[in-house]
Amino acid sequence: MTSERYNHRTAEQENLAAVSHFIKRGTSSNKDTSETFYCLEMFPYPSGKIHMGHIRNYTLGDVLARMKFAKGYDVLHPMGWDAFGLPAENAAKEKNIHPQSWTLENIANMKMQLKRLGLYIDWSSELATCLPEYYGAEQRIFLEFLKHGIAYKKEAAVNWDPVDQTVLANEQVIDGRGWRSGALVEKKKLNQWFLKISDFADELLEGLKTLKDWPEKVLLMQEKWIGKSIGVEFSIPILSADGENICDVSVFTTRHETIFGMSYVALSIEHDLIKKYAQDDPDLQAFCKICAEDAAKADYDAVADKKGYRTALIARNPLSGEEVPVYAANYVLSDYGSGAVFGCPAHDERDYEFAQKYNINICQVILAEDDKSDALPYTEKAGKMINSGSFDGLDITDARKKILETLQQQKVGSQKTTYRLRDWGVSRQRYWGCPIPVINCPSCGAVPVPEDQLPVTLPEDVDFNCQGNPLAAHPTWKYTKCPDCGADAERDTDTLDTFFDSSWYFMRFLSPKAEHFIDREAVNKYLPVDQYIGGIEHAVLHLLYARFMTRALCKIGAVDVQEPFKALFTQGMVCHATYKSEDGRWLEPVECIKKDGQIIEISSGRPVTMGPSIKMSKSKKNIVDPDEIIQRYGADTARWFVLSDSPPEKDVEWTEEGVEAAYKFMQKLWVLLSQSGQPEGTATKETSHKIMLCLKEYDAALEKFAFNKAIAKIYEIANIISSAHKKNQPIDAGIIQNILICLYAIIPFLAMEIYKGWDYKTAIQDMSWPDMAKISDVSDEVTVAVQVLGKLRGTLLIPANSAQDFVEQQVHALPVYDKYIRDKTVKKIIYVPNKIINYVVI
Ligand code: ANZ
Ligand code: ZN
């Protein structure tokens, strides 16, 4: 055996270029016939340094890309940078460095780190969203959308983050607070650009059904976000206190069968009628003001404390004629349905609570089948109608049909579908983003920037310490002439939501430098992405926007693909234990050391409290620097470790011991697989077959994303080789070659280095993946145990599936036969093919 140790430092350095050399099989012009495989990991935000989450994410994709390449696919595996966004602007403020330099420096550094990991990436198609060649193309998309009515402008109440001084999308407001700043969000009216994602609500929902290879939970989250609700809208006459007809208010309901149980009508504080009456009612005004303030503080859905204000208005039930009070209420959403509801306390939780609080009459109209429905509210959609005029006695299903028919006949109501999904507000009052290519002219309005003036680039000389949007505050940038009439005009100083940037980058990889935004032919060839890999945190926003963008581009004829991502994989987090010093400071793992079974802070020697393993984060300092790990143990060890310990969809716990063990195993593989490590002797076919079977399972596991199971197969192979070596049985060079080709996907440096020690003709990176279909599940030679009265007395190496006659013949030639069988009477012979032959003798 070799005593030489594997030196990962020199091996990784020497093999880096070869390991990461990307081979493009086909291009759009080249009529390559091999099947395409587009493997994509969510592109990173260039924060400055890669973290362990990146290592896991990109290793997963890398293994897949390498394997698919070796299997002969025309692999596309690109990388880019989601490079616009607030952190760069904050860095500009704090460190006085321009967002552009900050971002480009970060990109350069992270690119080096990713390269060091040996990733098999097509760097020739690299892109960064902050470069004019990218955002200029994005401006062309925006203008196409404008032309086709997919982008439009409207005055809208927006979520205003008073700390970041910017408008936030609804999705960026979490529990009433800005997702980044954590500040209480305010409502503010601004002229904003919107994308008509709501027009696509139905197809985005339907499209989910075609996504067979997406995680169920992501599909559910998207479905919930789109929030399709089929109900009935009908109008209710509103009367003044002295019985005069004022107007009709329309309400949206999913429970129109409860219409006879209507005991009040509630309107949102933004409802036109409420606004109108608030003008002459200071109390109502005050009520609305309080509700608006509350609303800014919390999630509407979670309004805990229901508040109402009883107006002098009266609502008349269109079917029963009964007159009920009209309230302004904080729990009615202004932008859902029609911003008005009828309250039915007997059959709705919220209404029940409201009625209790304001002493409103409660009228039960559905009786549970089992008659035990005295507990109100009764919210099941089952039972028989009561207190509902001519509908009494009907089953709820019939009642729903008949009552809808009646509403339709009386022309007061009809079926109606609503969605929770709102149009996507894309204007941001920020500098570091894609400028919206529009010029506002006092006489012509919003005029698109002419094609030949694109891209509209960001000015470089900007003051980041000004209030609000630095782009708007620039002394000259916005002043220009109207392209239509030539009059003085101003540029739109808003930039696009960075989610816009990331919702089409996967198409741009096909033509990252082209002036035209999309190379349709290439996109059609490679999309949809065969495997998309990323974090679950993008389950709704990014993925929904990307799906919308693809459909919108399809609608305007730019591509012919509807769904961008065929398969989606969401990987788990990388976690680590947390450490706290005596005086309550979080400590980094490198600041602590284990001594005599106790963890202490290195600098002070004082004891440290260890907390549970949680997602690595800067705030808890439980981070491990990938650079350090790669330096110390090598990229292969890091790659191996992030894949080995748990299924990739689950969290993985980073431990020093785990990394040490992975490192030792690399050394072990080096010894076991090196030519010089092979003993003298004769190998058996059986061992070879066992190994090939393991490789077959390894392959199947990788295809199923069960990377940890694949790795378990390599451990198994190592054991098989170890025991063969103990018996002085070397492994066939051909088998070793197969192992190395398979390992090259996971630990490319080590695999290449060992491979070079053998005298194989073809370089490892040019070798095809073993044809797993050819490996039969049964070896052509097997060892059969020869037993006498159940005791093992010898073994027999014979062709697989041999007939009993043949096996008996072979046994006759063995020493065991003379010793234990020949002189006895054989009563019975039990033969289990490929396993045992047992002689029952007396
Ligand atoms: C009367 C009723 C009676 C209701 C009953 C429920 C139970 P989904 O399924 O989420 O669409 N609703 C309608 N518009 C609303 C708004 N702008 N703000 C708050 N609530 C609103 O829910 C539809 C139900 O939510 C509707 O059905 C309405 O209350 C309420 F026994 O109408 B229901
Ligand atoms: Zn003009």
Side-chain angles (χ1 to χ4, degrees):
M1 287 213 188
T2 178
S3 57
E4 206 185 315
R5 272 175 71 79
Y6 172 57
N7 184 334
H8 69 81
R9 288 203 181 89
T10 47
E12 294 197 353
Q13 202 176 350
E14 265 172 34
N15 296 325
L16 184 60
V19 156
S20 35
H21 178 64
F22 189 86
I23 297 158
K24 257 189 173 152
R25 287 198 204 269
T27 60
S28 58
S29 52
N30 169 346
K31 284 269 170 288
D32 193 277
T33 47
S34 67
E35 210 180 314
T36 61
F37 190 89
Y38 190 171
C39 178
L40 184 67
E41 300 93 57
M42 292 178 182
F43 68 162
Y45 177 77
S47 56
K49 276 182 119 183
I50 57 169
H51 52 67
M52 282 300 170
H54 291 129
I55 303 257
R56 196 177 196 201
N57 190 208
Y58 298 121
T59 301
L60 288 171
D62 197 55
V63 173
L64 201 62
R66 284 176 183 281
M67 174 173 74
K68 292 292 179 180
F69 178 80
K71 286 186 174 184
Y73 285 86
D74 172 1
V75 171
L76 178 63
H77 190 217
M79 181 61 72
W81 309 95
D82 190 9
F84 273 139
L86 268 182
E89 251 173 276
N90 292 338
K93 268 190 210 155
E94 285 157 24
K95 303 186 185 132
N96 202 22
I97 171 172
H98 195 279
Q100 165 114 1
S101 341
W102 185 82
T103 307
L104 295 182
E105 273 171 32
N106 287 350
I107 288 176
N109 188 47
M110 289 171 75
K111 184 172 174 180
M112 214 167 61
Q113 290 184 297
L114 289 183
K115 282 196 158 175
R116 181 61 190 80
L117 204 55
L119 299 183
Y120 186 67
I121 279 174
D122 178 12
W123 289 105
S124 75
S125 58
E126 180 184 3
L127 57 79
T129 59
C130 67
L131 298 177
E133 62 197 28
Y134 186 88
Y135 70 73
E138 185 161 306
Q139 290 169 342
R140 285 169 202 272
I141 293 183
F142 182 86
L143 292 179
E144 283 298 308
F145 283 175
L146 189 57
K147 196 155 72 190
H148 288 86
I150 294 174
Y152 69 99
K153 207 170 193 179
K154 74 171 175 197
E155 165 112 329
V158 291
N159 306 302
W160 179 254
D161 184 322
V163 169
D164 278 344
Q165 295 270 310
T166 191
V167 172
L168 300 174
N170 287 339
E171 300 87 317
Q172 293 167 337
V173 181
I174 296 152
D175 294 335
R177 290 176 182 272
W179 68 320
R180 277 228 164 85
S181 69
L184 284 177
V185 168
E186 298 163 4
K187 292 273 171 196
K188 192 166 167 173
K189 285 241 158 161
L190 277 181
N191 227 341
Q192 305 278 301
W193 286 102
F194 282 83
L195 297 187
K196 273 201 177 148
I197 190 171
S198 63
D199 272 7
F200 293 76
D202 228 13
E203 50 176 296
L204 285 169
L205 185 66
E206 284 301 305
L208 293 175
K209 292 185 192 144
T210 67
L211 302 175
K212 305 278 180 237
D213 296 316
W214 278 42
E216 192 61 32
K217 66 176 167 195
V218 175
L219 295 175
L220 275 174
M221 283 162 89
Q222 296 231 341
E223 189 184 327
K224 233 185 120 189
W225 194 266
I226 296 166
K228 182 176 184 171
S229 181
I230 300 170
V232 170
E233 193 170 62
F234 66 89
S235 49
I236 299 178
I238 303 291
L239 321 175
S240 68
D242 27 78
E244 210 183 307
N245 242 320
I246 299 176
C247 64
D248 283 352
V249 154
S250 75
V251 292
F252 173 72
T253 177
T254 45
R255 302 290 310 274
H256 60 277
E257 77 279 11
T258 65
I259 188 166
F260 285 83
M262 174 192 308
S263 36
Y264 66 98
V265 165
L267 308 177
S268 94
I269 55 164
E270 309 233 13
H271 197 281
D272 286 344
L273 198 59
I274 294 299
K275 280 192 175 155
K276 188 173 151 203
Y277 279 85
Q279 284 170 5
D280 307 318
D281 183 346
D283 290 345
L284 180 54
Q285 239 172 61
F287 173 80
C288 291
K289 190 159 174 270
I290 290 171
C291 292
E293 283 166 9
D294 285 354
K297 280 186 211 137
D299 221 352
Y300 273 110
D301 280 338
V303 172
D305 182 22
K306 289 176 189 58
K307 285 189 189 133
Y309 178 88
R310 185 171 174 159
T311 67
L313 300 168
I314 293 161
R316 181 184 291 143
N317 189 320
L319 293 194
S320 71
E322 194 188 337
E323 294 185 350
V324 297
V326 176
Y327 283 80
N330 67 346
Y331 76 91
V332 182
L333 304 174
S334 59
D335 60 354
Y336 187 67
S338 51
V341 300
F342 78 81
C344 178
H347 304 290
D348 183 82
E349 300 273 3
R350 292 182 305 178
D351 298 350
Y352 185 80
E353 218 181 290
F354 193 79
Q356 294 259 300
K357 182 165 176 185
Y358 294 104
N359 248 323
I360 302 169
N361 179 39
I362 297 175
C363 169
Q364 182 174 1
V365 291
I366 305 165
L367 202 57
E369 297 289 5
D370 55 14
D371 254 8
K372 277 184 286 187
S373 65
D374 11 354
L376 291 180
Y378 170 67
T379 57
E380 303 284 289
K381 259 189 176 176
K384 289 231 176 319
M385 305 309 298
I386 52 167
N387 298 327
S388 297
S390 60
F391 304 99
D392 277 358
L394 286 182
D395 180 80
I396 199 167
T397 324
D398 295 335
R400 284 175 70 82
K401 231 174 89 197
K402 293 249 161 68
I403 292 178
L404 173 59
E405 275 166 19
T406 310
L407 288 169
Q408 280 167 332
Q409 274 157 18
Q410 300 189 2
K411 297 208 177 350
V412 290
S414 56
Q415 219 157 32
K416 160 117 190 198
T417 304
T418 59
Y419 297 87
R420 267 177 210 281
L421 187 65
R422 295 279 157 266
D423 277 345
W424 174 16
V426 291
S427 300
R428 294 291 179 278
Q429 292 64 45
R430 280 287 147 203
Y431 166 79
W432 195 230
C434 170
I436 294 175
V438 167
I439 293 166
N440 298 309
C441 168
S443 35
C444 312
V447 182
V449 171
E451 283 242 358
D452 59 358
Q453 289 171 30
L454 293 179
V456 176
T457 53
L458 290 166
E460 285 188 20
D461 50 332
V462 177
D463 172 16
F464 293 100
N465 291 311
C466 67
Q467 266 294 318
N469 179 1
L471 196 50
H474 189 277
T476 56
W477 184 80
K478 66 182 169 195
Y479 301 108
T480 184
K481 299 285 177 207
C482 168
D484 281 2
C485 71
D488 284 343
E490 286 186 17
R491 293 186 185 284
D492 201 313
T493 57
D494 287 351
T495 52
L496 292 172
D497 180 3
T498 54
F499 274 115
F500 195 125
D501 311 338
S502 55
S503 63
W504 71 286
Y505 77 105
F506 44 88
M507 300 191 217
R508 184 67 179 173
F509 278 130
L510 276 318
S511 54
K513 309 270 183 241
E515 189 177 83
H516 189 60
F517 51 91
I518 273 170
D519 177 342
R520 177 182 182 145
E521 210 183 307
V523 166
N524 285 345
K525 179 175 172 185
Y526 284 93
L527 260 74
V529 170
D530 292 276
Q531 184 64 60
Y532 198 30
I533 308 171
I536 186 76
E537 67 274 21
H538 294 299
V540 176
L541 298 188
H542 163 59
L543 290 169
L544 192 65
Y545 290 149
R547 293 182 60 224
F548 157 66
M549 190 65 92
T550 309
R551 282 174 187 273
L553 286 169
C554 188
K555 188 150 283 174
I556 66 173
V559 292
D560 304 295
V561 188
Q562 300 258 357
E563 286 291 341
F565 313 121
K566 186 170 168 292
L568 171 72
F569 188 87
T570 52
Q571 93 265 8
M573 311 277 190
V574 183
C575 302
H576 196 290
T578 47
Y579 302 104
K580 221 174 203 176
S581 70
E582 273 183 328
D583 53 347
R585 285 171 294 119
W586 294 110
L587 299 173
E588 277 185 38
V590 289
E591 296 177 278
C592 310
I593 197 166
K594 215 176 193 167
K595 218 175 175 183
D596 309 325
Q598 211 188 15
I599 303 169
I600 58 164
E601 184 178 1
I602 297 171
S603 64
S604 64
R606 304 295 309 157
V608 164
T609 335
M610 189 169 95
S613 185
I614 51 173
K615 180 195 168 185
M616 285 189 185
S617 77
K618 277 190 195 148
S619 63
K620 300 280 187 318
K621 291 205 175 177
N622 59 338
I623 39 180
V624 174
D625 182 9
D627 269 355
E628 244 178 71
I629 296 294
I630 290 172
Q631 176 61 24
R632 223 158 93 212
Y633 301 103
D636 282 333
T637 300
R639 295 169 62 108
W640 181 269
F641 181 70
V642 290
L643 298 180
S644 63
D645 249 26
S646 38
E649 67 276 16
K650 296 268 161 59
D651 291 352
V652 60
E653 193 185 343
W654 186 278
T655 62
E656 191 78 3
E657 297 79 33
V659 180
E660 286 280 351
Y663 181 69
K664 286 207 184 109
F665 190 68
M666 296 300 106
Q667 297 290 343
K668 183 171 177 180
L669 283 178
W670 166 256
V671 173
L672 287 177
L673 298 174
S674 294
Q675 187 172 14
S676 56
Q678 302 300 309
E680 305 280 335
T682 2
T684 71
K685 275 191 169 180
E686 198 199 348
T687 306
S688 301
H689 183 256
K690 268 196 200 156
I691 293 176
M692 288 311 287
L693 265 189
C694 282
L695 287 183
K696 190 177 182 174
E697 290 174 57
Y698 168 90
D699 169 73
L702 285 187
E703 286 284 359
K704 277 193 295 200
F705 251 89
F707 289 68
N708 58 320
K709 287 193 182 147
I711 281 194
K713 286 292 148 193
I714 301 299
Y715 282 113
E716 205 174 316
I717 289 174
N719 285 340
I720 295 170
I721 299 176
S722 276
S723 29
H725 282 188
K726 278 191 195 117
K727 290 185 241 160
N728 259 349
Q729 295 172 347
I731 308 301
D732 274 359
I735 298 295
I736 300 267
Q737 191 177 26
N738 281 327
I739 299 173
L740 292 173
I741 294 164
C742 288
L743 277 180
Y744 186 61
I746 292 189
I747 40 173
F749 297 101
L750 180 69
M752 182 174 269
E753 188 63 18
I754 300 173
Y755 192 96
K756 287 198 304 201
W758 291 79
D759 6 279
Y760 301 124
K761 279 199 212 67
T762 313
I764 191 166
Q765 62 273 37
D766 298 329
M767 288 297 298
S768 301
W769 197 258
D771 186 350
M772 303 296 175
K774 283 211 182 112
I775 304 166
S776 83
D777 289 340
V778 185
S779 158
D780 36 355
E781 234 175 315
V782 292
T783 306
V784 168
V786 182
Q787 298 180 342
V788 180
L789 289 170
K791 270 212 180 81
L792 181 67
R793 297 299 186 187
T795 58
L796 198 59
L797 191 65
I798 49 164
N801 301 320
S802 297
Q804 186 166 341
D805 284 356
F806 174 79
V807 184
E808 285 179 33
Q809 253 176 37
Q810 300 296 307
V811 173
H812 288 189
L814 292 179
V816 287
Y817 188 73
D818 294 336
K819 211 168 160 191
Y820 300 103
I821 306 169
R822 188 182 292 280
D823 301 333
K824 304 270 167 69
T825 310
V826 177
K827 267 194 73 181
K828 203 161 126 193
I829 301 174
I830 303 160
Y831 174 56
V832 183
N834 304 326
K835 292 212 168 88
I836 302 168
I837 183 154
N838 184 16
Y839 288 78
V840 183
V841 295
I842 40 171

